[in-house]
Amino acid sequence: MEDRALREAMITTARKMNAAGLNQGTSGNLSVRVEGGFLLTPTGMDYDTLVPEDLVLMRFDGSHEGRRLPSSEWQLHRDILAARPEAGAVLHAHSMFCTTLACLRRGIPAFHYMISAAGGSDVRCAPYATFGTAELAKSALAALEGRKACLLANHGMLALGKDLAGAFKLAVEVETLAAMYWRALQVGEPVILDSAEMERVIEKFKTYGQQPGPTGAK
């Protein structure tokens, strides 16, 4: 397979999801854009048993090829990748703290400036829809408008990235923020940063973490 290295990287990332506490068992799923469609983790398979041939090649018309059936959330991944051309990877997980907030149908407000990592001044919670449905995909797309992550009511979370590493990094950040917010709520209502401050932070995030290249580099 020409894309074998990418398939192996997806399996490694899927296993990291469990190791990092983003996922438990066979829940959650992962997709990466490729020419003509996207690669997707299969439905109901333990990530520790996956081999490259188990990943499913999906096309945007809903057809697929490979020896396995695709994740039940293939429409969710398909619709997000179709609507968000800047996204190269989509990670969906049932992480503990994001899902706890999602079960309360509560998003994550600007209690901490790092919320900006998800693209805006909050992480929205999408209204509930049955898993694996077009309704869920529609609900998630609305919650992701202007954002790179969202919660899914009574379900879990989504994170987008330009590549696998980016999606995984953001998912870990959002789960960490969810854990902080949940803990703060045990004491009281956290103080929320105002819109003017969040605008400043979002502007600063446009160049956050960028390092200059070596001498002579453009």
Side-chain angles (χ1 to χ4, degrees):
M1 292 178 290
E2 292 182 1
D3 57 6
R4 188 176 188 87
L6 180 57
R7 289 169 179 256
E8 290 175 344
M10 286 183 68
I11 293 171
T12 297
T13 301
R15 292 171 180 167
K16 282 173 63 179
M17 287 165 62
N18 280 11
L22 291 176
N23 244 17
Q24 304 82 39
T26 62
S27 63
N29 27 74
L30 185 66
S31 66
V32 178
R33 189 189 301 276
V34 295
E35 185 175 354
F38 57 99
L39 292 171
L40 181 65
T41 48
T43 187
M45 290 191 68
D46 190 322
Y47 294 142
D48 287 336
T49 70
L50 290 182
V51 295
E53 292 78 8
D54 290 325
L55 296 179
V56 182
L57 175 62
M58 294 286 309
R59 299 183 183 85
F60 286 101
D61 64 3
S63 62
H64 61 87
E65 64 180 64
R67 67 184 190 180
R68 304 296 186 188
L69 293 175
S71 165
S72 59
E73 298 292 10
W74 67 266
Q75 290 185 86
L76 183 65
H77 290 265
R78 189 270 308 273
D79 289 2
I80 291 171
L81 290 170
R84 300 289 293 269
E86 80 281 9
V90 177
L91 185 155
H92 167 49
H94 298 176
S95 55
M96 185 63 68
F97 289 97
C98 282
T99 303
T100 298
L101 293 176
C103 289
L104 295 168
R105 303 198 178 184
R106 187 166 188 163
I108 311 175
F111 80 103
H112 191 289
Y113 74 86
M114 280 300 294
I115 286 290
S116 302
S121 59
D122 62 358
V123 175
R124 303 184 186 108
C125 183
Y128 180 77
T130 306
F131 80 93
T133 62
E135 289 77 14
L136 178 61
K138 182 178 179 181
S139 179
L141 277 173
L144 285 168
E145 182 68 31
R147 303 288 189 273
K148 296 184 287 186
C150 73
L151 307 185
L152 303 174
N154 303 88
H155 189 156
M157 61 93 77
L158 284 166
L160 316 185
K162 67 178 182 179
D163 52 25
L164 274 172
F168 180 79
K169 181 179 179 180
L170 180 57
V172 171
E173 184 65 51
V174 173
E175 173 65 1
T176 300
L177 287 164
M180 291 176 181
Y181 183 51
W182 183 90
R183 287 179 168 90
L185 287 171
Q186 308 314 299
V187 179
E189 279 292 331
V191 176
I192 305 303
L193 298 174
D194 62 32
S195 58
E197 174 59 16
M198 289 308 296
E199 287 175 9
R200 285 190 289 270
V201 171
I202 290 168
E203 185 63 28
K204 288 174 71 68
F205 256 80
K206 292 179 180 179
T207 56
Y208 176 80
Q210 295 182 16
Q211 296 289 342
T215 303
K218 296 182 178 178

